[in-house]
Each structure stands twice: as structure tokens, then as C-alpha cells.
Amino acid sequence: MSIDLPESAAPPPTGPGGSSSAPSRRTFIATSAAVGGAVVAGGTFLAVPDEATAEGASPSSRVSLTVNGTRRTVTVDNRTSLLDLLREHLGLTGSKKGCNAGACGACTVLVDGHRVNSCLTLAVRLEGAEVTTVEGLAEGDRLHPLQQAFIDEDAFQCGYCTPGQIVSGVGCIQEGHTGSPEEIREWMSGNICRCGCYVKIVRAVEQTAGRK
């Protein structure tokens, strides 16, 4: 009695010498491992690039900017935020990464005198800009008046949001939005304090603005 094998189960055709012209499964696996990601197709080796090679290196750019009065030039991935540039490349960790979505204000810095959320600002767009972080507010051992006011008014608790609150407060004062406690609250509303120290924060900003 004869048994008909299905096409998929039939042995591969052999050449004149009796050997198979197609590689066996064992040959395929061994060869692929030996050449590091190559495959055999019709007896021909085809190199398969790995994922990193296929995608290529991430594009980067060289950017020069002034940070707290010092000119800095760095090469960064084009996707790098100003916050990561400050923290990871320049070692300025005063600006905090809170929500990383521009909603809490913990990362607030001044760029050319204006308040920005550094987590939403691309570093490569700041060529030639002047950046001021909380580390750049004091003059040597002399605290900025608002820094001192935060201490005098006990305007912090855990302290995580405090650098962003202070920098934002400085910007608020420079912009002239300190006519009343209500105005200060409105223009500082982008800075969240989860400890609820808002009354004392407003008082510290008001106190500093009154000294100017």
C-alpha cells in the first residue's frame, strides 16, 4: 500500500548528486547564528540590519546659550528639553521635574526674562538665549530678596515646588503683576503647591514687590 504525502510534508527535491539544494532547518539556524542576523533565501545570504542600524542615530545639534551668566555650548539630541539640558548636562538640579507636562510649574525658569516651563521647551530652539534658573538668582552668599522672603514668610513645606515658585515669583514681579494679592494669585496660578502654602507664597511675592 502506498501513502501519498502532502506537499508540505514531502522531502525537498535533490540535485544530481543526491543532496538537497535547499538548506535544512538545522543549516539555516546555524548559518543565521554564525553571520549574526543573516538569512538564506534561494541559497543566497541576505544581511538583515539590526534595529539600531535600520533607524540610525538620533539627530543632534550643537547649541550655545548663556545660563546664569555663563556661556555654555553643548551637543544634545534634538528632542532634549531645556529641563533635561539643565539637569542632565549642566548639573543644575534646582529646576524640578514634576509633571513633565507643563502643568505644575516646578520646572519654571526665565528665558530672556520671561517665565517658561522648561520641560516643554526644546533646548535646540534656544540658540543665543539667556536662561536664569533658581541657582542664578542669588549674588554669591546673598540671597535674592524673594528667596529671603520665602524664608521670612515660611512659604514652603516639602520644598519640591519652591524653586519654580520663586523663579515664577521673580518673573511675576518683573512683569508688574503684583498690584494685589488677587493679581499675584492669578499670575502665579500655573505654579502648583501640593502642600497648600499659597497664602504665604503670595505674601512673600507681595513683600518683595513692595520693597522694589
Side-chain angles (χ1 to χ4, degrees):
M1 181 177 64
S2 64
I3 299 176
D4 292 330
L5 295 176
E7 184 178 353
S8 59
T14 59
S19 61
S20 173
S21 61
S24 67
R25 180 172 177 273
R26 178 176 298 177
T27 303
F28 175 84
I29 294 174
T31 306
S32 297
V35 300
V39 298
V40 181
T44 304
F45 288 105
L46 301 177
V48 179
D50 58 33
E51 186 176 349
T53 304
E55 293 182 357
S58 299
S60 61
S61 298
R62 190 176 180 87
V63 59
S64 295
L65 65 167
T66 300
V67 181
N68 297 332
T70 302
R71 190 72 170 175
R72 310 296 292 266
T73 300
V74 293
T75 299
V76 295
D77 186 306
N78 288 350
R79 300 165 294 183
T80 302
S81 67
L82 174 58
L83 177 60
D84 285 338
L85 170 66
L86 295 171
R87 292 179 59 84
E88 307 298 335
H89 294 265
L90 303 183
L92 297 172
T93 57
S95 304
K96 303 304 182 187
K97 182 176 286 191
C99 64
N100 206 33
C104 72
C107 66
T108 304
V109 300
L110 301 178
V111 176
D112 294 332
H114 301 286
R115 292 179 284 174
V116 302
N117 291 319
S118 59
C119 71
L120 297 183
T121 305
L122 287 176
V124 294
R125 299 186 63 184
L126 299 179
E127 178 66 32
E130 293 191 11
V131 179
T132 302
T133 71
V134 69
E135 292 94 339
L137 295 178
E139 296 181 4
D141 294 333
R142 183 183 178 185
L143 295 177
H144 185 279
L146 186 55
Q147 290 175 310
Q148 186 61 54
F150 263 67
I151 295 173
D152 296 341
E153 297 294 337
D154 194 24
F156 50 86
Q157 187 168 319
C158 79
Y160 195 83
C161 74
T162 302
Q165 296 279 2
I166 291 175
V167 174
S168 186
V170 170
C172 188
I173 294 170
Q174 293 177 350
E175 294 160 12
H177 299 304
T178 56
S180 66
E182 293 74 22
E183 185 179 13
I184 294 172
R185 282 196 292 270
E186 174 66 24
W187 289 90
M188 291 280 292
S189 61
N191 292 82
I192 306 301
C193 175
R194 290 175 173 81
C195 299
C197 297
Y198 295 110
V199 172
K200 295 180 179 181
I201 290 171
V202 170
R203 192 178 300 157
V205 174
E206 192 176 26
Q207 172 185 314
T208 305
R211 292 175 180 173
K212 292 181 69 65

Coordinates of all heavy atoms in Angstrom, one line a residue, residues 4 22 40 43 45 52 76 79 110 112 159 161 164 211:
D4 N 0.4 8.7 0.1 CA 0.7 9.9 -0.6 C 1.0 11.0 0.5 O 0.1 11.3 1.4 CB -0.5 10.4 -1.4 CG -0.7 9.4 -2.6 OD1 0.3 8.9 -3.1 OD2 -1.9 9.3 -3.0
A22 N 18.1 22.9 -1.2 CA 17.7 23.9 -0.2 C 18.3 23.6 1.2 O 18.5 22.4 1.5 CB 16.1 23.8 -0.1
V40 N 19.0 33.0 4.7 CA 19.3 32.3 3.5 C 18.0 32.4 2.6 O 17.0 32.0 3.1 CB 19.8 30.9 3.7 CG1 20.0 30.2 2.4 CG2 21.0 30.8 4.6
G43 N 19.5 30.1 -1.5 CA 20.9 29.8 -1.5 C 21.8 31.0 -1.4 O 23.0 30.9 -1.5
F45 N 22.8 34.5 0.8 CA 22.8 35.2 2.1 C 22.4 36.6 2.0 O 22.9 37.4 1.2 CB 24.2 35.1 2.8 CG 24.6 33.7 3.3 CD1 25.5 33.0 2.6 CD2 24.0 33.2 4.4 CE1 25.9 31.7 3.0 CE2 24.3 31.9 4.8 CZ 25.3 31.2 4.1
A52 N 19.0 49.1 15.5 CA 19.7 50.4 15.7 C 20.3 50.9 14.4 O 20.2 52.1 14.1 CB 20.9 50.2 16.7
V76 N 23.4 68.2 22.0 CA 22.3 67.4 22.5 C 21.4 66.8 21.5 O 21.4 67.3 20.3 CB 21.4 68.3 23.5 CG1 22.2 68.8 24.7 CG2 20.8 69.5 22.7
R79 N 15.7 66.2 20.6 CA 14.4 66.1 21.4 C 14.6 66.5 22.8 O 13.7 66.4 23.6 CB 13.9 64.6 21.3 CG 13.6 64.1 19.9 CD 13.5 62.6 19.9 NE 14.8 62.0 20.1 CZ 15.0 60.7 20.1 NH1 14.0 59.9 19.8 NH2 16.1 60.2 20.3
L110 N 13.6 81.3 33.7 CA 13.4 82.6 32.9 C 14.3 82.4 31.7 O 15.5 82.1 31.8 CB 13.9 83.8 33.7 CG 13.2 84.1 35.0 CD1 13.8 85.3 35.7 CD2 11.7 84.3 34.8
D112 N 15.4 84.8 28.6 CA 15.4 86.2 28.1 C 14.4 87.0 29.0 O 13.7 87.9 28.5 CB 15.0 86.3 26.6 CG 16.1 85.6 25.8 OD1 17.3 85.6 26.2 OD2 15.8 85.1 24.7
G159 N 9.0 71.7 49.9 CA 10.1 72.4 49.2 C 10.3 72.0 47.7 O 11.1 72.6 47.0
C161 N 8.3 72.2 45.1 CA 7.9 73.2 44.1 C 8.5 74.6 44.3 O 8.4 75.5 43.5 CB 6.3 73.4 44.2 SG 5.8 74.3 45.7
G164 N 10.6 76.5 41.5 CA 9.7 77.0 40.4 C 8.9 78.2 40.9 O 8.6 79.1 40.2
R211 N 9.2 96.1 48.2 CA 10.5 96.6 48.5 C 11.1 97.3 47.3 O 12.1 97.9 47.4 CB 11.4 95.5 49.0 CG 11.0 95.0 50.4 CD 11.9 93.8 50.8 NE 11.6 93.2 52.1 CZ 12.1 92.1 52.6 NH1 13.0 91.5 51.8 NH2 11.7 91.7 53.8

